[in-house]
């Protein structure tokens, strides 16, 4: 059997999808929803949660001391158009990156670039994409996100950009490692994400709502109120969406060259986060190992904390160019 993008990608072994066939039906109950309406009926927290969060953020303006603080800092709601644009962008990007990997399967070559080469490449992970889409749509709560004015200089921009990256990475590392160490927290917050041992693009947002709230949205809200300028927020959200999809793709794509140039995808990503090598870059290989083995590589963006605490594992490096 072939498709318009060529023969389906296969590999030996079995997965949580049942067989080595990339089109196999999932075998786990958590993977049974393939339509958003059915998923939302089973998990209303993905609808009610962001609504309540947005209402709470908007209601904060009704508290006199808070409103006074907001006014002094020039804080305004992010707004519907910006929140909707970011949400739509992230949703479409998830399908675009997944489609790119499938349609250029022969050029990417799973044998050389897939991290877990013994696992099949799942071509139609509809249940994973469904929960992922529901999680991404909760970003619409950012409509009421209290946001400071744009940065006032390049020093201000890059300073707060790096500060946010380090802060988010540190909080994520601490909470993520704790969830793995405390069984009750793991079950309540993180077990859903680890349902998939061989990641694909949609696994980035294959999360329980409460996990997404704690590990992303609460950190964003607190940072915006405390110090984060609007332009740094938007740069982080948009570039971070691409970064997390590539990190969860199951492939090391950084060595793929841009046509007609010696420039690689890795080079382009390095320009977007030029400071990352100072703290060690978290790659798809690092995070793939975490999904496969359930231990180590707890950080979000960097490796220095895992290195300090002895939880860093290099995983299976892929270094060939194509």
């Amino acid at each position: 059997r072939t498709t318009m993008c060529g023969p389906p990608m296969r590999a030996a072994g079995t997965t949580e999808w049942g067989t080595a066939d990339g089109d196999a039906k999932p075998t786990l109950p958590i993977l049974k929803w393939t339509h958003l309406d059915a998923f939302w009926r089973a998990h209303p927290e993905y609808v009610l949660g962001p609504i309540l969060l947005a209402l709470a953020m908007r209601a904060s303006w009704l508290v006199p001391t808070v409103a006074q603080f907001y006014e002094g800092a020039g804080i305004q709601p992010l707004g519907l158009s910006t929140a909707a644009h970011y949400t739509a962008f992230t949703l479409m990007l998830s399908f675009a990156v997944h489609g790119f990997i499938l349609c250029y399967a022969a050029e990417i070559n799973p044998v050389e670039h897939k991290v877990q080469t013994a696992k099949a490449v799942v071509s139609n992970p509809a249940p994973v994409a469904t929960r992922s889409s529901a999680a991404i749509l909760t970003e619409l709560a950012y409509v009421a996100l209290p946001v400071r004015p744009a940065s006032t200089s390049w020093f201000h921009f890059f300073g707060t950009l790096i500060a946010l990256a380090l802060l988010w990475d540190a909080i994520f590392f601490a909470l993520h490692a704790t969830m793995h160490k405390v069984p009750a927290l793991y079950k309540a917050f993180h077990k859903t994400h680890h349902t998939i041992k061989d990641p694909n693009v949609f696994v980035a947002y294959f999360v329980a709502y409460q996990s997404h709230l704690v590990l992303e949205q609460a950190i964003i809200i607190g940072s915006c109120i405390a110090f984060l300028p609007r332009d740094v927020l938007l740069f982080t959200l948009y570039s971070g969406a691409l970064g997390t999809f590539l990190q969860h793709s199951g492939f090391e794509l950084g060595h793929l060259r841009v046509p007609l140039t010696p420039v690689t995808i890795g080079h382009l990503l390095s320009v977007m986060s030029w400071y990352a090598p100072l703290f060690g870059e978290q790659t798809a290989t690092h995070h793939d190992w975490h999904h496969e083995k359930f231990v180590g590589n707890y950080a979000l963006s960097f490796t220095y904390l895992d290195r300090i605490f002895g939880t860093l594992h290099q995983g299976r490096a892929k270094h060939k160019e194509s």
Side-chain angles (χ1 to χ4, degrees):
R1 182 175 55 85
T2 61
T3 69
M4 66 181 67
C5 293
M9 294 177 286
R10 302 177 187 273
T14 61
T15 72
E16 51 270 67
W17 297 85
T19 72
D21 185 346
D23 292 328
K25 296 296 183 182
T27 59
L28 300 178
I30 198 173
L31 297 172
K32 68 182 180 181
W33 293 283
T34 57
H35 298 281
L36 274 173
D37 52 356
F39 179 83
W40 279 326
R41 283 194 296 269
H43 297 279
E45 67 272 18
Y46 286 81
V47 177
L48 298 178
I51 291 174
L52 293 174
L53 180 61
L55 290 175
M57 288 189 288
R58 197 67 185 97
S60 66
W61 263 269
L62 301 178
V63 180
T65 54
V66 174
Q68 185 178 8
F69 171 76
Y70 285 170
E71 183 178 359
I75 291 176
Q76 295 292 330
L78 184 63
L80 178 60
S81 61
T82 303
H85 186 279
Y86 165 67
T87 302
F89 169 85
T90 305
L91 189 62
M92 290 188 291
L93 183 64
S94 65
F95 286 91
V97 176
H98 178 69
F100 170 83
I101 290 173
L102 293 184
C103 286
Y104 288 93
E107 288 75 11
I108 293 174
N109 189 348
V111 174
E112 293 186 359
H113 291 284
K114 191 175 189 302
V115 181
Q116 296 185 45
T117 54
K119 298 288 185 69
V121 178
V122 180
S123 59
N124 62 343
V128 184
T130 300
R131 183 181 288 263
S132 169
S133 298
I136 290 171
L137 288 169
T138 68
E139 309 288 49
L140 288 170
Y142 287 153
V143 63
L145 179 66
V147 179
R148 290 171 174 264
S151 58
T152 55
S153 66
W154 283 113
F155 179 81
H156 186 200
F157 179 91
F158 287 116
T160 51
L161 177 67
I162 296 172
L164 174 63
L166 290 172
L167 176 65
W168 195 349
D169 188 71
I171 295 175
F172 188 95
F173 175 87
L175 293 177
H176 188 194
T178 301
M179 289 176 184
H180 276 269
K181 301 297 182 182
V182 181
L185 293 178
Y186 179 82
K187 183 177 181 180
F189 287 90
H190 201 48
K191 184 177 180 180
T192 296
H193 187 61
H194 273 286
T195 301
I196 311 299
K197 298 179 181 179
D198 180 25
N200 60 68
V201 171
F202 298 112
V203 173
Y205 283 91
F206 189 81
V207 293
Y209 171 70
Q210 59 271 23
S211 174
H212 189 53
L213 177 64
V214 170
L215 292 176
E216 177 179 316
Q217 293 177 338
I219 298 171
I220 288 294
I221 294 169
S223 299
C224 285
I225 295 173
F227 69 92
L228 193 62
R230 180 186 180 95
D231 50 347
V232 177
L233 165 70
L234 295 178
F235 180 85
T236 299
L237 290 178
Y238 280 86
S239 61
L242 176 60
T244 194
F245 292 143
L246 293 178
Q247 190 180 83
H248 285 86
S249 68
F251 286 81
E252 275 294 357
L253 302 177
H255 299 87
L256 296 178
R257 293 196 305 271
V258 177
L260 304 179
T261 75
V263 178
T264 66
I265 292 177
H267 291 145
L268 297 178
L269 294 176
S270 295
V271 171
M272 295 172 62
S273 56
W274 53 268
Y275 50 86
L278 298 174
F279 309 102
E281 295 181 83
Q282 180 86 236
T283 66
T285 298
H286 290 115
H287 197 68
D288 208 284
W289 178 268
H290 175 77
H291 270 268
E292 182 184 4
K293 303 299 183 182
F294 294 95
V295 295
N297 299 348
Y298 296 119
L300 176 66
S301 303
F302 310 120
T303 59
Y304 78 100
L305 286 173
D306 280 299
R307 193 179 301 278
I308 290 173
F309 288 94
T311 54
L312 179 65
H313 195 288
Q314 296 299 336
R316 299 175 177 81
K318 300 288 181 181
H319 295 299
K320 296 182 180 181
E321 292 189 6
S322 64

